[in-house]
Amino acid sequence: LVILTATLTMDVTIRRAWEDSLREQTQMHLSREVRLFANRVDNDHARPLAEIVAQEARAADARATMIDSSGKVLADSEADPAHMENHAQRPEVAAALRGDAGNSTRTSKTLGIEFMYAAAPVRGGVVRLAYPLAGVRRTAAVVRRNLLIASVLSLLAAALLAAWIAHSFSKRLRRMAQFAQQVAAGDLSARISEGSSDELASVATALDASARQLEISFRTVEQSRQQLETLLNSMQEAVIAVSADGRVEWANGHMDDLVPRGARRGLPMIESIRDPEMLRCLRETLAGGGVQQSRAALVAAGKVFQVVSAPLPSGGAVAVLQDLTEIERVEKTRRDFIANVSHELRTPLTSIQGYAETLLDGSSDPDTVREFAEIIRKNAVRVSRLTDDLLVLARVESGEQRFQLQPVTCRELVADAFSAFHRIAENAGMHLHSDAPPPSAAGEDLVLADYEAIHQVFANLIQNAVKYSAPGAEINLGYSIPGPDFAEFYVRDSGPGIPSEHLPRIFERFYRVDKARSAGRESGGTGLGLAIAKHIVISHGGAIRVESKMNHGSSLFFTLPLVRPA
């Protein structure tokens, strides 16, 4: 387009100017030649006028004419003077007759060709030279043709060069576009290199540097995100984030475990959690209420949470759920424990106080004093036993009590318990039997246990059976091997049994099936024996349970892990 425009511009402007210049040069040349023609006519008297005209025409490569002062043509190099009209009115002739050099351009009436005329005065007339402008036009046409050919050749060369440059630029631009698409698709490791040093290479270098920096920044952000996600997933608290329109954006693993089917990301919060208090808390935070706190009891069955919601910089909100279930259970247990201890201590302390005050009133009857003193002693013993049991239970529950675990035969544990308590059972009018099975083919069964601690477990279970069984009842003590990994010990009595609704709670502190009867209290029990037994067994890695039917006695079982030889 540039070359074509330049060619047209040259053709329109430069060619015309060149033609005008060529005309001026031709005119000047013709004027110079006509002066030479006039000088020869004035000085050459040896040759005929017609010969001089013919020679000057050949020398100037123009038409030569001799005209007298009246305008009559005397001689002409290309026409018969006799048939030529008078030239006195020709502009160049008229100017020459006046003594000036004359010039004119017009179409010849004689030949019908456009000529450029130049005339000069001589003695007795005028000489004139006429140059046909067809030669000028031919020269201009040749120049124009050469210009066109040169333009076409230049256009072809430029087109080839432009095509090569365009192909090179297009190829490089396609590489840059492909690189940009890779980066846009998330492949930040894509790179582009340019060996040249032009503007495209500068752009490619800048893009490559941007991709490198973007990859570094994205890797840093991704590492920070992974660290934050790992940190949030390692939290014991459940965390959930919602967008400004209330849709779930993110939740940690603990939150997914709490909600049935997990937190449904991308969906409204109510699709995952239906607790009204938590939803209200988040709505108020999203509405610009800042940090909000609430208590949620419907997020997960049987659990209570403290919900704290805070706004996010992006316009959403994040909620943190702290599980208060265990804290509240422990707090309730603590309150119940304090209430139970206070209740258990109140009775013996009231008795001690009452009888002591009676003694202080001055009773002198020795039998009465002895009776009251005995009652005070029994209640003091009960308070002491209760205190001891509370200390033992506290040490076992807190893990302060360290057990010396070592292999012990099951038969030895049962035999020791039978030896220690069969006399106590007989004194209470009951019969204690040992049901230990015979040794197996592999030898004695060994369990990993603290001998003294398991002896205390047997003591608590047997004493409990003795307290609640009628005189003449039988109590069975023994063990079995129901599985390859543990041994199960049991104490069975033939007492009144335990109602089924009380079975899940008999291992709780101070829990008694028949509070009105209070057989344990009347017999000196503290209500902590089964709770102590439970925690000792659990600390050994075992479990304890009870089976009972009304009027068919009760069976208490506990397991201990077996020790198998390599």
Side-chain angles (χ1 to χ4, degrees):
L1 287 176
V2 171
I3 292 174
L4 183 61
T5 302
T7 302
L8 293 176
T9 302
M10 290 174 65
D11 187 67
V12 172
T13 59
I14 298 177
R15 180 177 61 83
R16 183 170 298 176
W18 183 84
E19 287 183 357
D20 293 342
S21 176
L22 185 61
R23 284 173 178 269
E24 290 179 3
Q25 291 180 5
T26 303
Q27 186 72 52
M28 292 172 62
H29 172 73
L30 199 61
S31 298
R32 186 170 57 253
E33 292 293 328
V34 80
R35 286 195 297 273
L36 293 174
F37 183 19
N39 184 55
R40 184 178 178 183
V41 169
D42 286 337
N43 296 309
D44 190 355
H45 302 288
R47 290 179 178 80
L49 187 60
E51 184 180 351
I52 294 174
V53 168
Q55 290 177 354
E56 288 297 325
R58 288 193 299 272
D61 192 21
R63 179 184 177 186
T65 305
M66 179 65 190
I67 305 168
D68 63 10
S69 58
S70 63
K72 179 181 177 182
V73 178
L74 299 177
D76 189 270
S77 61
E78 295 184 8
D80 185 2
H83 296 87
M84 297 177 65
E85 59 184 21
N86 192 282
H87 283 46
Q89 300 302 320
R90 303 289 194 274
E92 70 281 359
V93 174
L97 290 175
R98 290 194 300 271
D100 299 325
N103 296 288
S104 176
T105 301
R106 66 179 181 279
T107 302
S108 173
K109 293 182 178 180
T110 305
L111 299 177
I113 300 173
E114 186 179 13
F115 282 91
M116 179 181 290
Y117 296 95
V122 293
R123 286 189 296 272
V126 175
V127 293
R128 187 185 70 175
L129 290 176
Y131 186 80
L133 291 179
V136 174
R137 291 193 178 91
R138 284 195 301 270
T139 303
V142 170
V143 171
R144 190 174 187 182
R145 184 176 65 253
N146 293 337
L147 177 63
L148 181 61
I149 292 172
S151 298
V152 170
L153 293 177
S154 300
L155 187 62
L156 290 175
L160 293 175
L161 180 62
W164 179 78
I165 294 175
H167 176 72
S168 175
F169 271 65
S170 176
K171 183 178 179 180
R172 294 167 67 187
L173 285 173
R174 281 196 301 269
R175 288 176 53 205
M176 295 172 66
Q178 184 179 5
F179 163 77
Q181 290 173 355
Q182 288 178 302
V183 173
D187 183 11
L188 299 181
S189 62
R191 293 292 179 267
I192 182 171
S193 59
E194 283 286 339
S196 58
S197 58
D198 57 4
E199 291 81 358
L200 275 183
S202 300
V203 173
T205 303
L207 288 176
D208 192 69
S210 300
R212 292 178 186 275
Q213 186 61 39
L214 186 61
E215 183 182 17
I216 294 173
S217 301
F218 185 80
R219 187 182 298 116
T220 303
V221 171
E222 181 64 17
Q223 289 176 351
S224 300
R225 186 194 66 79
Q226 291 178 355
Q227 291 175 356
L228 179 60
E229 186 171 349
T230 302
L231 176 63
L232 291 174
N233 281 326
S234 65
M235 293 175 59
Q236 293 299 319
E237 292 81 5
V239 182
I240 188 168
V242 297
S243 60
D245 58 354
R247 296 180 178 272
V248 177
E249 286 188 339
W250 186 87
N252 66 351
H254 193 46
M255 189 75 218
D256 286 330
D257 294 338
L258 284 179
V259 181
R261 297 182 297 174
R264 307 179 71 180
R265 292 159 178 77
L267 296 178
M269 180 73 173
I270 197 171
E271 296 286 339
S272 301
I273 297 175
R274 301 296 180 89
D275 189 283
E277 286 299 317
M278 181 174 177
L279 294 175
R280 178 194 60 78
C281 189
L282 281 170
R283 280 197 301 269
E284 291 183 1
T285 298
L286 291 174
V291 178
Q292 299 290 325
Q293 293 187 10
S294 182
R295 182 185 178 89
L298 300 178
V299 176
K303 290 184 176 292
V304 179
F305 298 94
Q306 181 184 16
V307 181
V308 179
S309 63
L312 290 172
S314 60
V318 60
V320 179
L321 283 72
Q322 183 180 7
D323 192 352
L324 301 179
T325 307
E326 186 62 21
I327 296 175
E328 292 198 350
R329 187 193 67 79
V330 171
E331 181 62 23
K332 181 178 182 301
T333 302
R334 185 187 65 83
R335 291 195 302 268
D336 293 344
F337 179 74
I338 293 174
N340 290 332
V341 170
S342 300
H343 178 73
E344 293 294 330
L345 289 174
R346 185 180 296 114
T347 300
L349 290 176
T350 301
S351 298
I352 292 173
Q353 181 181 1
Y355 286 107
E357 289 175 352
T358 302
L359 291 175
L360 289 174
D361 285 342
S363 176
S364 58
D365 185 3
D367 294 334
T368 302
V369 172
R370 185 178 295 106
E371 179 184 358
F372 285 3
E374 180 64 21
I375 293 174
I376 291 172
R377 186 190 66 79
K378 287 182 179 180
N379 282 282
V381 170
R382 172 169 170 74
V383 171
S384 177
R385 291 182 60 190
L386 182 60
T387 304
D388 291 341
D389 285 351
L390 285 173
L391 291 174
V392 171
L393 182 60
R395 286 196 298 268
V396 173
E397 281 186 331
S398 64
E400 183 181 350
Q401 179 76 31
R402 300 298 180 183
F403 297 108
Q404 301 297 324
L405 302 181
Q406 56 186 358
V408 184
T409 65
C410 298
R411 185 179 303 277
E412 184 179 357
L413 290 175
V414 172
D416 180 71
F418 176 79
S419 174
F421 295 103
H422 78 279
R423 293 292 182 187
I424 297 175
E426 289 178 357
N427 292 336
M430 303 173 194
H431 303 286
L432 183 63
H433 298 282
S434 175
D435 297 336
S440 63
E444 291 287 351
D445 297 304
L446 299 175
V447 291
L448 197 63
D450 185 304
Y451 188 89
E452 296 298 331
I454 298 304
H455 181 77
Q456 185 176 1
V457 173
F458 275 118
N460 290 340
L461 298 185
I462 294 173
Q463 289 174 0
N464 189 75
V466 170
K467 291 174 187 175
Y468 291 100
S469 297
E474 292 187 356
I475 299 173
N476 295 318
L477 171 66
Y479 77 94
S480 63
I481 310 297
D485 299 322
F486 60 91
E488 187 173 62
F489 300 85
Y490 58 85
V491 176
R492 293 191 179 97
D493 63 56
S494 55
I498 304 172
S500 59
E501 65 270 17
H502 296 286
L503 293 178
R505 301 190 59 188
I506 68 167
F507 295 103
E508 295 180 7
R509 305 180 189 91
F510 304 114
Y511 188 79
R512 291 186 175 86
V513 175
D514 189 355
K515 294 180 175 57
R517 184 177 64 176
S518 298
R521 186 182 292 113
E522 295 300 328
S523 60
T526 62
L528 298 174
L530 292 183
I532 293 173
K534 179 186 75 171
H535 286 288
I536 290 176
V537 171
I538 291 174
S539 298
H540 279 69
I544 192 168
R545 62 188 179 90
V546 61
E547 293 180 359
S548 181
K549 290 184 179 180
M550 293 299 295
N551 302 318
H552 288 82
S554 302
S555 298
L556 289 157
F557 301 89
F558 69 91
T559 61
L560 294 175
L562 284 171
V563 178
R564 293 298 187 187

